[in-house]
Amino acid sequence: MLTIGCHLSSSKGYLAMGKTAVSIDANTFQFFTRNPRGGNAKALDETDVKDYLAYAAQNGINHILAHAPYTLNACSADEHLRDFARRTMEDDLRRLEFTPGNCYNFHPGSHVGQGVETGVAYISDMLNQILTPQHQTTVLLETMSGKGSEVGRNFEELREILDRVQLSDKMGVCLDTCHVWDGGYDIVNHLDEVLDEFDRVIGLKRLKAVHLNDSMNDLGSHKDRHAKLGEGKIGLEALTRVVNHPALSGLPFYLETPNELDGYAREIRMMRERYL
Ligand code: FE
Ligand code: FE
Ligand code: ZN
């Protein structure tokens, strides 16, 4: 069975997200650990977590994906902002231990002119400070479109980070179809070759999740504007090949398309119908 879900608001807690997911025939979901613009997280409601875990087990929700606030920048030139990113992610990881065995995705960051090497060094330093052997969460680097000075614009940059993390078995990668397309990987005409390249540079065993998005822009545009499935430059045929590709079989797929709940329900139905 296809594991597919979408990004949901976490404002009403875990159980509410689980119920919303089931209502749109999703069997996983993604959520922000706190306000995406940063700031303090609400106190963790342990009753809500306990109720959610029972509900998830009964309703076939296996893995879920937590997403760090996208405003964090682990490789900022400002020491205070780097420190804020580290403390926020450390706190997120502590909270995610209440729902063990899931993944925590983050945007590597923007080097803001300091250069990729400096960016990679800051990001891997931070990971080396926050990861512990006890953590039961896998931390994912997201493939980025390369807008501005984003680190992670190609597979090599992610590999550079992974190579420098000591507890590297705690690390994985989340592939965003819009981002890799905008980053110049032609998943429309050369999906096999792109996945071969991912395997050669990073290793497919590192791939833990896929963000399934269409893109408003052309191959290599470095823009990062998501489109509804079938309404962008990637198109429904190519996205159908993605969910059916044997190298990606068993992975969870997350929609981050510009939709309300009914739109997500429609896209999930569409991809389930197209899943062979
Ligand atoms: Fe993201
Ligand atoms: Fe994404
Ligand atoms: Zn994006």
Side-chain angles (χ1 to χ4, degrees):
M1 184 160 75
L2 181 63
T3 302
I4 188 166
C6 64
H7 188 91
L8 294 176
S9 162
S10 54
S11 63
K12 294 198 175 78
Y14 278 102
L15 182 62
M17 288 191 284
K19 287 184 172 174
T20 302
V22 167
S23 79
I24 56 172
D25 198 22
N27 47 355
T28 185
F29 57 87
Q30 174 179 269
F31 61 100
F32 284 126
T33 51
R34 59 189 74 213
N35 185 315
R37 309 226 118 250
N40 287 329
K42 276 191 305 189
L44 196 78
D45 179 347
E46 290 192 44
T47 309
D48 175 51
V49 170
K50 198 168 127 274
D51 292 348
Y52 163 73
L53 289 173
Y55 182 84
Q58 280 159 17
N59 289 277
I61 298 176
N62 295 315
H63 23 36
I64 54 176
L65 180 57
H67 195 308
Y70 50 75
T71 46
L72 298 183
N73 188 4
C75 58
S76 169
D78 181 336
E79 188 189 335
H80 297 286
L81 294 181
R82 292 199 303 275
D83 195 55
F84 178 69
R86 180 182 53 75
R87 281 184 287 111
T88 302
M89 289 184 60
E90 201 164 41
D91 186 50
D92 280 349
L93 282 175
R94 182 185 62 73
R95 297 157 59 90
L96 289 169
E97 286 301 287
F98 288 89
T99 50
N102 292 309
C103 289
Y104 177 50
N105 176 63
F106 79 108
H107 296 181
S110 294
H111 65 69
V112 289
Q114 302 170 98
V116 179
E117 249 175 77
T118 303
V120 163
Y122 279 140
I123 296 159
S124 47
D125 279 356
M126 179 200 67
L127 289 164
N128 284 327
Q129 287 176 59
I130 66 175
L131 294 175
T132 73
Q134 289 76 36
H135 277 138
Q136 298 179 71
T137 297
T138 304
V139 177
L140 308 186
L141 302 167
E142 181 166 351
T143 60
M144 302 311 291
S145 68
K147 70 174 181 308
S149 63
E150 276 175 347
V151 178
R153 60 194 288 137
N154 55 43
F155 301 157
E156 284 78 5
E157 291 186 7
L158 296 182
R159 170 66 192 270
E160 292 285 319
I161 298 168
L162 293 170
D163 278 347
R164 286 167 175 74
V165 177
Q166 278 137 24
L167 294 171
S168 113
D169 60 324
K170 303 285 178 193
M171 296 295 304
V173 171
C174 172
L175 184 143
D176 186 308
T177 53
C178 169
H179 296 178
V180 294
W181 168 260
D182 285 17
Y185 292 96
D186 187 355
I187 55 171
V188 173
N189 299 298
H190 299 284
L191 179 61
D192 285 341
E193 289 87 341
V194 171
L195 293 175
D196 278 350
E197 188 171 340
F198 186 100
D199 194 33
R200 197 166 59 246
V201 177
I202 297 176
L204 276 169
K205 70 172 198 315
R206 293 269 185 205
L207 187 54
K208 304 295 183 194
V210 176
H211 283 165
L212 193 69
N213 302 310
D214 211 327
S215 171
M216 284 173 49
N217 293 291
D218 290 321
L219 175 69
S221 62
H222 303 295
K223 284 279 195 353
D224 189 5
R225 299 278 309 278
H226 302 188
K228 294 179 185 179
L229 304 190
E231 295 185 16
K233 299 290 174 92
I234 299 176
L236 202 51
E237 295 314 312
L239 292 166
T240 298
R241 288 194 290 273
V242 169
V243 296
N244 283 299
H245 199 284
L248 308 179
S249 129
L251 289 176
F253 294 87
Y254 300 92
L255 306 168
E256 299 176 311
T257 45
N259 274 307
E260 302 294 328
L261 204 58
D262 57 339
Y264 281 134
R266 198 181 62 83
E267 290 189 348
I268 288 169
R269 198 182 324 121
M270 204 162 71
M271 296 324 286
R272 288 206 185 284
E273 280 166 6
R274 290 167 165 265
Y275 181 67
L276 304 173

